Amino acid sequence: MCDRAIRSVCLLLVLGAAASWADDGSSLAASPEQIQAWRDMKFGLFIHWGPVSIKGTEIGWSRGAQVPIEEYDQLYKQFNPTQFNADAWVTVARDAGMKYLVITSKHHDGFCIWPSKYTDYHIGNSPFKRDILRELSDACRKQGIQFSTYHSICDWRHPDYPMGSPGGQTAKPNPNMPRYYEYLKNQTREIIENYGPLGIMWFDGEWEKPWTLEYGNDLYAYLKGIQPSLIINNRVSKGRLGMAGTTQQTHLNAGDYDTPEQRIGGFQKDRPWETCMTICQQWAWKPNDQMKSLKECLQTLVRVVGGDGNLLFNVGPMPDGRIEPRQVDRLREMGRWLSRHGESIYGTRGGPYKTTAKIASTYKGNAVYVHVLDWSGDTIALPALPKKVTDCTLLTGGTVSVRQTADAIEITVPPQSRQEIDTIVKLTLDGPAGEIEPITLTSPSLAAGKKATASNTFMRMAEFGPSKALDDDAGTRWATDSGTKQAWIEVDLGKPVTFNQVAINEAYDRARKFELQCKEGDAWKTFLEGTRIGEEYSKGFNPVTAQVVRLNILEATDGPTIWEFQLLASRQ
């Protein structure tokens, strides 16, 4: 790190590099060794917290929406989380098997959880007064957890930032973006100098128009000049493609890794990535928020790692400073599982088999770990591997047999040895698994990849279109607009086919009444009816032959959203 005497010279050199990012984008990027060390950790704790927890509404976004601006901006005067204990938070992360922690230093609402000398809107002027970043950074170092921060580029409260609440939809009367940019640089430098070195600086809010590619690349270079080892996500610049999080034009846009949000990223080995996802539904704490089951939590982790990504899993602490006990219990359940099976997660890479809704795989050295997340029949048949299997064990306990042929790897596990959440088969090969090109698994669903239409798509965004429920990708979904209580998704199978089973993976358990229909001429015929769907619905029925099939959700508590909709021809 440059000392104060020569920092200005260093920064001039670094900023010159930023100007030529398009010519040499790799000059400041994190080194392969730095990225691999971060990848090896796999699992981190994300924390969204601030005075808004008093209201139980979403951080930043509820300012001027659910909570009037005048009230929201005064919440810090009541914020006194006397039960906050940094050591306890970090212990929860460690017990969960997490290796790094990312805390919101400043969200879109502008409140700073450290006593910044560049604003009065900070924790030091609350009744609590204590420096949360100092206590957390010290606790992380003491317990061997990497400390990192989230920092919002946008600031809907700051008078110089052009956009305001609600949701960045209003314009301020006298903005000054160049002056705000200096404020942003000063604060991020202050964090690194006072609480660093950091593992990651996790940016957000870059989607708004006042932020440009030039600002983003310049900030990236500026911070790398202060801490060259710093890893910075792709939201520092302008290349992110929506919530899918992948980066377009990487040669133009700064950022060391991609950031899928609230979804499992697609299989991607050529560029590092990290899914950020909430343990409940809201980022900030909300009373009685719906929490993910242990199965959903663990299978999310496995699918993310199987796709060659990291998982940054979010909690929102309560107003009193504690992480909600039920969330602590769930995280510790994950940690107990990882203490037994972490060999198949930590330090691995995704593959060689690409992840599906039922199968994920990871590898390390000569070992391949096949994660069977859903069984149908006694034997799983996988495509052949170009290396010989020399040994096999069932990491989760019990017996397994593996038969290798020129065409397939057949894995058989008796019912008593299968696990509901994840049955892990370790295959030892006669050479490095990393030499194997990624292998695509064929979907058993007759609907996979077929033409799909729907009555409604969330904000008409293609990334939430009906085809996403038919792509055999557990990380994508068809979603509908908030407030939608009825919706349908329809698939054209291309020709009449016969099927006798449906499998549906629904997000958020919102359906309360549905039917499956097939088209006969111009009329729809109902062949299956039900109530709730949930994350793992499967039902057999008498064989149906049809070309066009519709899932018709007749009643829902809110906008229905489906991860996967599969039609299967199962043996009777």
Side-chain angles (χ1 to χ4, degrees):
M1 183 183 294
C2 306
D3 62 33
R4 291 179 184 274
I6 63 172
R7 179 170 291 133
S8 59
V9 175
C10 292
L11 294 182
L12 285 174
L13 294 172
V14 173
L15 292 176
S20 60
W21 184 269
D23 299 324
D24 186 15
S26 63
S27 60
L28 299 171
S31 70
E33 293 77 18
Q34 291 166 346
I35 288 293
Q36 192 55 51
W38 168 70
R39 272 177 157 165
D40 286 346
M41 293 189 287
K42 297 303 178 189
F43 195 25
L45 181 65
F46 212 4
I47 302 172
H48 280 64
W49 192 47
V52 70
S53 61
I54 294 170
K55 303 299 291 186
T57 56
E58 190 60 282
I59 190 168
W61 293 96
S62 64
R63 181 178 186 264
Q66 292 87 356
V67 184
I69 291 174
E70 297 77 12
E71 180 184 358
Y72 192 106
D73 290 352
Q74 298 301 312
L75 290 173
Y76 78 103
K77 295 180 179 179
Q78 308 169 42
F79 191 49
N80 193 20
T82 55
Q83 295 193 56
F84 167 70
N85 183 314
D87 286 317
W89 281 18
V90 177
T91 297
V92 169
R94 190 189 63 193
D95 289 350
M98 294 162 160
K99 306 299 183 183
Y100 60 109
L101 180 151
V102 182
I103 176 72
T104 47
S105 53
K106 179 184 80 74
H107 206 265
H108 313 327
D109 59 13
F111 182 78
C112 302
I113 65 166
W114 82 101
S116 174
K117 67 181 180 181
Y118 299 102
T119 181
D120 293 330
Y121 192 47
H122 61 65
I123 191 69
N125 289 325
S126 74
F128 190 58
K129 299 188 182 302
R130 286 158 49 188
D131 185 344
I132 292 168
L133 287 192
R134 167 58 54 216
E135 295 184 31
L136 264 181
S137 60
D138 289 348
C140 281
R141 290 184 178 93
K142 184 168 64 176
Q143 297 196 45
I145 299 294
Q146 186 188 79
F147 179 70
S148 304
T149 58
Y150 161 113
H151 203 82
S152 175
I153 286 168
C154 64
D155 190 326
W156 296 329
R157 181 183 180 274
H158 197 288
D160 286 338
Y161 185 76
M163 310 309 294
S165 297
Q169 297 175 18
T170 60
K172 294 182 187 147
N174 299 297
N176 188 324
M177 189 61 190
R179 190 163 61 194
Y180 175 76
Y181 179 49
E182 288 304 309
Y183 171 77
L184 179 63
K185 289 203 298 182
N186 286 336
Q187 284 205 320
T188 49
R189 184 190 70 246
E190 183 180 42
I191 290 171
I192 294 173
E193 290 180 345
N194 291 349
Y195 310 105
L198 305 179
I200 297 165
M201 188 162 276
W202 209 106
F203 285 103
D204 196 10
E206 89 294 352
W207 66 84
E208 291 198 325
K209 288 183 180 179
W211 193 249
T212 65
L213 179 147
E214 290 75 20
Y215 276 134
N217 291 355
D218 185 82
L219 181 61
Y220 179 92
Y222 175 75
L223 297 175
K224 290 280 187 168
I226 300 170
Q227 184 189 323
S229 64
L230 186 66
I231 295 176
I232 301 174
N233 68 348
N234 66 341
R235 300 189 188 197
V236 70
S237 194
K238 296 293 282 192
R240 177 170 63 115
L241 290 170
M243 297 301 187
T246 54
T247 304
Q248 61 179 341
Q249 297 182 308
T250 54
H251 65 292
L252 295 178
N253 292 277
D256 296 316
Y257 68 92
D258 292 349
T259 53
E261 181 172 331
Q262 293 287 43
R263 70 194 61 202
I264 299 166
F267 188 93
Q268 178 177 290
K269 294 193 69 175
D270 59 342
R271 181 171 166 83
W273 59 274
E274 172 194 65
T275 280
C276 58
M277 186 180 290
T278 52
I279 194 170
C280 292
Q281 293 192 38
Q282 189 167 277
W283 292 98
W285 180 75
K286 175 183 177 181
N288 302 313
D289 202 359
Q290 183 177 338
M291 188 170 68
K292 292 178 173 64
S293 67
L294 177 62
K295 181 176 183 178
E296 189 173 2
C297 291
L298 285 173
Q299 289 195 349
T300 294
L301 174 62
V302 169
R303 287 176 174 133
V304 166
V305 176
D308 209 35
N310 281 23
L311 177 62
L312 187 60
F313 210 35
N314 182 80
V315 299
M318 299 185 294
D320 66 7
R322 294 177 300 144
I323 300 173
E324 192 174 0
R326 66 184 180 127
Q327 297 183 17
V328 171
D329 291 343
R330 178 69 77 244
L331 291 175
R332 285 182 169 146
E333 285 181 303
M334 296 181 75
R336 287 192 289 272
W337 184 90
L338 281 164
S339 70
R340 297 190 299 270
H341 310 306
E343 171 190 340
S344 68
I345 300 294
Y346 301 121
T348 65
R349 296 294 302 271
Y353 296 110
K354 293 184 179 181
T355 305
T356 69
K358 298 190 177 205
I359 298 288
S361 68
T362 56
Y363 69 85
K364 183 192 310 180
N366 288 14
V368 171
Y369 303 93
V370 178
H371 299 259
V372 184
L373 308 177
D374 186 16
W375 284 90
S376 53
D378 293 332
T379 299
I380 300 288
L382 301 174
L385 291 173
K387 294 185 182 294
K388 183 180 178 181
V389 176
T390 61
D391 191 23
C392 67
T393 56
L394 200 58
L395 211 62
T396 43
T399 59
V400 59
S401 63
V402 174
R403 179 172 175 263
Q404 183 174 21
T405 70
D407 300 318
I409 300 285
E410 297 178 354
I411 300 173
T412 302
V413 175
Q416 64 271 21
S417 295
R418 299 175 200 160
Q419 302 297 315
E420 179 187 1
I421 293 176
D422 183 9
T423 305
I424 308 172
V425 180
K426 180 179 179 181
L427 305 177
T428 303
L429 309 182
D430 64 353
E435 296 176 353
I436 303 173
E437 288 295 316
I439 301 168
T440 300
L441 299 179
T442 303
S443 172
S445 174
L446 301 170
K450 297 297 192 292
K451 181 180 177 180
T453 54
S455 59
N456 179 284
T457 294
F458 178 71
M459 297 182 68
R460 299 183 179 179
M461 296 170 66
E463 63 185 282
F464 292 108
S467 64
K468 301 302 181 182
L470 305 176
D471 60 2
D472 203 36
D473 185 339
T476 61
R477 58 190 169 102
W478 164 59
T480 57
D481 288 320
S482 178
T484 301
K485 300 300 177 68
Q486 296 179 324
W488 53 259
I489 180 172
E490 184 179 301
V491 55
D492 187 334
L493 301 171
K495 62 181 180 180
V497 298
T498 301
F499 51 90
N500 61 356
Q501 186 178 352
V502 64
I504 308 172
N505 183 354
E506 181 200 10
Y508 310 130
D509 189 26
R510 293 173 175 171
R512 291 297 177 267
K513 185 178 181 181
F514 72 94
E515 60 185 355
L516 282 179
Q517 300 174 301
C518 60
K519 200 168 189 179
E520 294 186 349
D522 294 328
W524 288 99
K525 177 183 177 182
T526 299
F527 60 87
L528 182 67
E529 296 177 308
T531 52
R532 299 174 81 151
I533 298 175
E535 64 183 67
E536 194 175 89
Y537 178 86
S538 180
K539 187 76 172 178
F541 41 79
N542 292 328
V544 172
T545 301
Q547 177 173 327
V548 182
V549 180
R550 174 181 287 185
L551 168 61
N552 191 16
I553 299 174
L554 301 169
E555 295 178 16
T557 58
D558 200 355
T561 183
I562 302 293
W563 293 107
E564 287 297 313
F565 173 48
Q566 297 184 324
L567 297 172
L568 307 163
S570 301
R571 296 176 183 175
Q572 295 294 307

